[in-house]
Amino acid sequence: MKKVSEVKEFSYIGKRIERVDALPKVTGEAKYFGDIKLPDMLVGKILTSPHAHAKIISIDTSKAEKLPGVRMVVTSKDMPKTPLDFAQAQFNRRVDLFALASDKVRFVGEEVAAVAADSADIAEEALSLIDVKYEVLEAVFDPEEAMKPGAPGLYDGVGNNTPIYMPHEYGDVEKGFGEADYIFEDEFRTQLQYHAPMERQGCVCSWDVQGNLTMWTSNQTPHLHQWLLATILGIPVAKTRIISPYVGGGFGAKAHQVFPFHAICAVLAKKTGKPVKIELSRGEEFSFATTSPPFIVKLKTGVRKDGKITARQIRIIEDCGAHLYIAAGQLLVSIYFPFCHLYKVPNVKYEGYIVYTNNPNRAVALRGFGNPQVTFPLESQMDIIAEKLGMDPVELKLKNLFEPGETSMLGWKFESYGLPDCIKKAAEATNWSAKRAEKIPNRGIGMACLIHSSGYKGVWGSIETSSAIIIAKEDGSFNLYTDFSELGTGVWTVVQEIAAEILGARLEDINVLAGDTAFTPFDLGSYASRGTYSIGNAVKLAALDMRQQLFEVAATMLEAGVDDLEAKGGAIYLKKAPEKKSSIAEVAYHAHFGLGKVLISKGIWNSPAGLLDFFTGVWPSPGPVTSYPFGCQVAEVEVDPRTGKVEVLSMTAAHDVGFPINLDAVEGQIEGGVVMGLGYALTENLRHEDGRVLCDDFVDYFIRRAPDIPEIKPIVVTTDDPYGPFGAKGLGEAVMVPTAPAIANAIYNAIGVRIKELPITSDKILKALKEKR
Amino acid sequence: MKIELDVNDRIYEVDVEPRETLTQVLRDKIGLTGTKRACDVGGCGSCTILLDGQAVYSCMVFAARAEGKKVTTIEGLAQNGKLHPIQEAFIKFGAVQCGYCTPGMILSAKALLDQNLDPTEEEVKDAIAGNLCRCTGYVKIVQAILAAAEMMKKR
């Protein structure tokens, strides 16, 4: 098969293609779950705990039940007994998440009771009539305090509030540190970043008389959600329908997790026999507090005079709040990806602690999934090391990379390895060497790199699966069925392009039908940057199968062999005599009405990545991922030393995407990801005190507005990954991973202060400048 | 109380309470759900509509106060099935990702371009400063609005 970048004549792949979902969105026709209105629909509202840690003594719902317009009031006794995190039980070795609290509350905002009423006003009033008696307990908010003996315990049987402790060593770090000329030890801290999708969370539930449940919601993983919800409710999966085509931003907040409000809404709808809508207000979204879990990272690195890293050791404390959610996966990703594999280090040792606290954050996935939390320390420290050694950071980085095609100690192999290229291109585009030599006062330039994943075998059991179905209609138009919701990444257009390219059809002939479990096949959905890679591969397989079916029919019509045929622009023709052709429409018509064929094809993609051997800590090649995206970002900043304000002048982002299927979408992800990364670096912090979230609107929680964006230069690096569809790899998370350390390094280059705690706000800079003097 | 609202050149007679916002009435009573409600407290711009041609947050306007004024929502932009140049440009330049900020963003852009067909990049950014977007980083949105200005000048 030809190398993708050698094919000069793609019809759609690699071009700027208009999104298939853009028209419904610019006209306001696209419906999100909050736009759904059903007859007799009730409003559901949830009563949450005002205390960070308390015993529930009693709950009296009688007054609420009597309020006119209230249709149902529920507490934990009405909820399913199956824990909401049952699917993580094997990995976490415990369960801790239920729909409504029964004996204890462990954070401000924990769900305690719920009502369904005729209107929002009545539901709110009903909440105020529910009488909950609490016995307040001592709470703990500092994870390092929570780990100490004698700290208030959140759960019986979980010593030191530490449900998960993961230590491991590869090689011999003692020996490695012994070989080093310099040892660096630094501590870094990251904050709670909130996803802040524009569309708030919630759902609409409706049961029919036959016991079929339909849930409209905003969800990144419809099939996983379907299976989880059905299992929790104790109903057949086939009688559960999740409808979530348009998602107004996910970023991980809406992936593979049934939240309490989902289960509560389903139960309220069942008990009242009416549709129920629960929609978190923006204030409730902030206190609901889906965030990236904050990390405390102690990083120790040994380096030789010549710049070669000899050993690395890391200690991570991850505060998961009161429930584990998916904290463990993030801990492991942060260790295996940046810590073990951004650079080649012969001896590494890690210790990871996940700690319960009474903080309000829910440790769900957030773009990067632990990678930003450790890339920040790692790339900041590389800068510190480079300065000590008198080396340019670029030289230090290039010196410690893997060789292309090399297999790491852990069994990972990078078949496509664009990292050196990304570093060189980013340095060139920013005039790196000249700017570093320049030393303009208060201006600086800084660089940081990344490694990430395209899907990840091991996040969800032992599978990495996507599937697609294509049906050719009698007139040569196609229906393409995929589970994938459109979060805004552009995946619907990517699959449309891939199908059209392989089938030789026109783009407009491919009709993407997606995000509804009733008529789409099983898929893990959208997370771990697996979209283009996984569903792209599944669609590729389905399209190849369909192409074969069409060619077999066309071959009889054109009196040729299948191998003599080619397809392009909606027609199938003889390679050697292109004027001998039939349109796909004619072929499809003949198939149906001439031959009695029905044209259905399927594509099932199971990533050939490997599974971790928990005993040895090693993977079979190529590792948990076949196709690793890489990248390098360079920030240019100007710092005002009087105010501590950082102005980002430009961000240059070079990303190895394998091959860009839709150039506009790739640039869009880079631009959006960099801006979100700027927030992580400089302004975003879901502040909380004594367990209470202090932000409740976008004034307190500052995300960038149009006048605040710097110049952003995306550089697309292609490496023709052998596993990705048309050579493509993931991108959605990679774009946000190195932004914060690039900025931190640029700030140091500008004014000589190194901030090791995110976000890098002006008060921290001023304090550091003061200490410097 | 019964009021008459002129929305997208059509008169709607609706029964509203004094405290109901224009967002609530447009979405929940008239059924025009293109106007979004990402925060409902005047902090994000997703509810932006045009009131007598001026871009305003509909969540900050009492529905009753909109009586006697021309309300334009995203549904009113395309005329006879023909898209407005701003809508065309948003599609052409990849300025739409999750789409939730899009209706409000387009209307803020319209308010600007109806007054000024030669905006600078700074003026475009200022015009949409009140419209938050979490997905795009604004880059292609600004490009699309500048391109739409060119398209509108030609017509």
Side-chain angles (χ1 to χ4, degrees), chain A residues 730-748:
Chain A
L731 178 66
E733 295 169 282
V735 288
M736 206 193 92
V737 170
T739 316
I743 303 255
N745 293 341
I747 291 171
Y748 182 79

Side-chain angles (χ1 to χ4, degrees), chain A residues 16 18-19 21-23 25-32 34-35 37 121 193-200 246-249 251 277 279 281-283 367 486-489 663-665 667-669 671-673 675-676 679 684 696-699 701 703-707 709-710 712, chain B residues 17 19 27-44 46 57 74-78 83 86-88 90-103 105-106 122 124-140 142-143:
Chain A
R16 295 181 187 277
E18 288 179 6
R19 291 187 189 222
D21 49 303
L23 183 57
K25 289 170 179 174
V26 301
T27 52
E29 203 179 86
K31 293 250 180 288
Y32 303 80
D35 302 327
K37 195 175 178 181
D121 288 338
Q193 182 183 28
Y194 159 53
H195 306 69
M198 282 299 113
E199 185 199 11
R200 300 168 280 126
Y246 294 106
V247 175
F251 310 109
K277 178 191 269 187
E279 205 179 352
S281 70
R282 184 58 68 175
R367 204 173 197 176
E486 178 56 80
L487 276 58
T489 56
L663 209 39
D664 271 349
E667 285 175 0
Q669 281 296 293
E671 289 152 4
V675 172
M676 194 165 167
E684 292 183 42
D696 70 351
D697 60 33
F698 287 117
V699 176
Y701 189 84
I703 70 177
R704 296 245 153 184
R705 293 160 185 268
I709 56 168
I712 301 175
Chain B
E17 294 192 36
R19 66 188 172 112
R27 286 179 54 85
D28 303 336
K29 294 214 157 129
I30 296 178
L32 292 168
T33 56
T35 304
K36 299 304 173 198
R37 187 166 35 201
C39 80
D40 220 15
V41 291
C44 72
S46 67
Y57 289 167
I74 190 69
E75 291 94 341
L77 236 59
L83 292 179
I86 301 174
Q87 290 171 307
E88 280 180 38
F90 265 58
I91 296 175
K92 187 155 185 267
F93 285 81
V96 180
Q97 288 191 28
C98 86
Y100 214 71
C101 76
T102 304
M105 195 70 77
I106 289 175
E122 293 310 308
V124 171
K125 287 179 178 176
D126 278 340
I128 58 170
N131 293 82
L132 288 184
C133 173
R134 191 52 157 167
C135 297
T136 66
Y138 306 99
V139 177
K140 292 187 187 318
V142 172
Q143 282 170 8

Side-chain angles (χ1 to χ4, degrees), chain A residues 172-208:
Chain A
D172 183 345
V173 293
E174 283 303 310
K175 178 165 162 287
F177 286 130
E179 292 164 6
D181 294 309
Y182 299 101
I183 309 267
F184 297 83
E185 280 189 81
D186 298 281
E187 184 174 301
F188 297 84
R189 286 166 185 258
T190 67
Q191 79 285 41
L192 296 188
Q193 182 183 28
Y194 159 53
H195 306 69
M198 282 299 113
E199 185 199 11
R200 300 168 280 126
Q201 297 236 38
C203 59
V204 174
C205 283
S206 179
W207 298 77
D208 71 14

Side-chain angles (χ1 to χ4, degrees), chain A residues 93 162 164-170 313-316 331-332 335-336 339 348-354 614-617:
Chain A
R93 277 169 262 144
T162 306
I164 293 183
Y165 168 58
M166 291 196 264
H168 201 77
E169 184 171 7
Y170 299 94
Q313 191 168 337
I314 196 167
R315 182 182 187 256
I316 298 171
L331 181 64
L332 290 177
I335 289 165
Y336 295 138
F339 179 67
V348 294
K349 184 175 181 184
Y350 68 80
E351 266 191 308
Y353 297 85
I354 300 182
F614 275 98
F615 201 65
T616 60

Side-chain angles (χ1 to χ4, degrees), chain A residues 573-593:
Chain A
Y573 57 91
L574 257 65
K575 282 187 232 184
K576 295 210 173 98
E579 69 285 357
K580 271 198 85 186
K581 63 181 185 208
S582 286
S583 66
I584 291 179
E586 288 167 334
V587 174
Y589 183 91
H590 182 66
H592 282 87
F593 295 118

Side-chain angles (χ1 to χ4, degrees), chain A residues 740-762:
Chain A
I743 303 255
N745 293 341
I747 291 171
Y748 182 79
N749 185 243
I751 53 167
V753 299
R754 170 131 337 251
I755 309 297
K756 296 176 179 174
E757 189 176 329
L758 294 178
I760 303 173
T761 47
S762 45

